[in-house]
């Protein structure tokens, strides 16, 4: 599909969904007058992140006092199932977050309520759900419908059926999903942020969730090198963050 055909298809799909009109308005502004917002402060943050970065294994040991090595072997079977599902999935979605970091954040906090933005295939959801099923907790997730690719039905495709009873998936943009999630749960043990990567979108959501994160809760944000929103957010709130270098990107994580 050409770029113009894709944009047109997305636009028409939006028009059929009045519940998504607010996001359509925001997208138009984001892709026209606010274009620079996606990369604001990127250079500054990349040198800051590079100077602090450690591996995922080191971060899990430093912050949670846990050795992550048994995760892959303990969950070999479900991970194999999920990899197979991803291969079979007819549409291509976003890259996975750092599974061990998410899983052990949930273990460390004995999480009952976890919130994540950005689901795609559902790798990060899977990591949280594997921990939450042990204590009957709930994962609240927000993800935009995949309008251009008719991909709605595939969001969360790698999550096995038996883990879905602990999962509430809100199919709107974060600006609409988060208030609906907060109406169901007012505090959270873990956040995984992996959705709207623009500066303003991050700043809005970071504040909203940070205020509802329990003391001792874990805040994780993916792709913090896209712009300086995460660094500026940490500096504004006096937060000492850890930076993880993972598969060519930077992830921010701290315990509140
Ligand atoms: C990188 S993917 C998420 C990957 C996922 N966390 C994982 O580990 O498999 C980013 C997702 O964010 C969603 N997204 C982007 N902007 C959004 C917004 N404003 N509100 C909600 N979801 C959004 C996209 O639809 C996409 O599925």
């Amino acid at each position: 599909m050409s770029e113009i055909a894709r944009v047109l298809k997305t636009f028409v799909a939006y028009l059929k969904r009045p519940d998504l009109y607010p996001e359509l308005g925001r997208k138009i502004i984001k892709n026209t007058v606010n274009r620079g917002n996606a990369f604001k402060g990127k250079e500054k943050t990349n040198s800051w992140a590079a100077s602090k970065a450690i591996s995922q294994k080191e971060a899990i040991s430093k912050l949670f006092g846990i050795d992550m090595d048994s995760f892959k072997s303990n969950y070999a079977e479900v991970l194999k199932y999920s990899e197979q599902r991803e291969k079979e999935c007819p549409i291509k979605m976003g890259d996975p977050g750092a599974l061990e970091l998410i899983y052990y954040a949930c273990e460390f906090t004995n999480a009952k309520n976890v919130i994540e933005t950005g689901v795609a295939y559902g790798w990060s959801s899977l990591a949280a759900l594997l921990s939450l099923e042990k204590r009957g907790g709930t994962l609240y997730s927000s993800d935009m419908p995949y309008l251009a690719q008719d991909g709605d039905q595939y969001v969360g495709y790698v999550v096995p059926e038996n883990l879905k009873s602990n999962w509430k998936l809100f199919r709107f943009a974060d600006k609409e999903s988060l208030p609906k999630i907060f109406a169901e749960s007012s505090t959270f043990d873990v956040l995984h942020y992996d959705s709207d990567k623009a500066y303003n979108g991050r700043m809005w959501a970071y504040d909203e969730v940070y205020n509802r994160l329990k003391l001792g809760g874990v805040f994780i944000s993916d792709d913090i090198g896209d712009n300086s929103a995460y660094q500026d957010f940490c500096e504004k709130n006096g937060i000492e963050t850890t930076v993880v270098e993972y598969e060519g990107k930077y992830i921010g994580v701290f315990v509140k």
Side-chain angles (χ1 to χ4, degrees):
M1 204 189 308
S2 77
E3 181 61 14
I4 292 180
R6 197 186 58 79
V7 170
L8 265 177
K9 191 170 178 209
T10 307
F11 187 68
V12 171
Y14 264 112
L15 290 182
K16 290 187 197 150
R17 294 280 301 267
D19 54 325
L20 296 175
Y21 284 2
E23 179 62 13
L24 175 62
R26 289 190 293 266
K27 270 223 154 41
I28 291 170
I29 292 172
K30 195 159 124 184
N31 291 317
T32 53
V33 288
N34 246 356
R35 269 191 107 85
N37 204 252
F39 312 110
K40 182 177 162 185
K42 183 179 166 93
E43 223 171 283
K44 159 185 103 168
T45 287
N46 274 279
S47 50
W48 167 81
S51 72
K52 288 175 79 70
I54 59 176
S55 69
Q56 179 181 213
K57 185 175 166 65
E58 286 170 310
I60 291 171
S61 165
K62 180 182 105 171
L63 294 171
F64 312 145
I66 301 174
D67 179 355
M68 69 174 216
D69 283 350
S70 55
F71 178 80
K72 287 247 156 75
S73 53
N74 286 352
Y75 291 112
E77 212 169 300
V78 63
L79 292 172
K80 201 169 145 208
Y81 163 87
S82 299
E83 273 158 26
Q84 191 52 37
R85 290 279 287 178
E86 182 180 325
K87 274 194 205 125
E88 287 164 11
C89 185
I91 68 162
K92 171 83 187 109
M93 293 189 268
D95 294 330
L99 302 196
E100 287 91 340
L101 189 63
I102 299 163
Y103 174 81
Y104 287 112
C106 297
E107 293 288 289
F108 170 72
T109 56
N110 267 317
K112 289 287 249 178
N113 292 303
V114 175
I115 180 166
E116 71 166 348
T117 71
V119 175
Y121 292 115
W123 285 107
S124 49
S125 320
L126 172 68
L129 288 166
L130 286 172
S131 173
L132 286 166
E133 73 155 348
K134 297 181 187 175
R135 60 195 87 81
T138 306
L139 170 65
Y140 298 89
S141 305
S142 163
D143 201 304
M144 276 288 290
Y146 272 70
L147 294 175
Q149 297 157 291
D150 299 323
D152 259 13
Q153 55 196 304
Y154 301 111
V155 168
Y157 201 61
V158 306
V159 177
E161 281 308 312
N162 67 310
L163 292 176
K164 288 187 177 166
S165 56
N166 293 15
W167 194 18
K168 294 193 174 178
L169 176 51
F170 293 73
R171 307 302 316 276
F172 307 93
D174 293 340
K175 282 243 162 85
E176 280 70 50
S177 292
L178 294 193
K180 293 183 204 303
I181 292 174
F182 299 151
E184 296 207 13
S185 176
S186 53
T187 57
F188 300 92
D189 303 289
V190 176
L191 158 73
H192 184 248
Y193 185 87
D194 194 12
S195 53
D196 181 0
K197 303 292 165 65
Y199 188 99
N200 292 350
R202 285 179 191 269
M203 277 305 199
W204 174 80
Y206 287 167
D207 276 336
E208 289 289 314
V209 185
Y210 181 68
N211 291 335
R212 293 169 174 86
L213 190 69
K214 287 185 188 158
L215 277 183
V218 179
F219 187 112
I220 306 171
S221 178
D222 212 335
D223 294 316
I224 61 165
D226 293 346
N227 51 52
S228 66
Y230 182 79
Q231 181 186 4
D232 295 348
F233 169 79
C234 288
E235 285 171 5
K236 180 180 84 173
N237 290 293
I239 292 161
E240 247 321 307
T241 185
T242 296
V243 173
V244 175
E245 188 167 9
Y246 180 77
E247 301 194 344
K249 62 186 177 181
Y250 294 115
I251 300 172
V253 52
F254 64 85
V255 179
K256 185 172 175 183

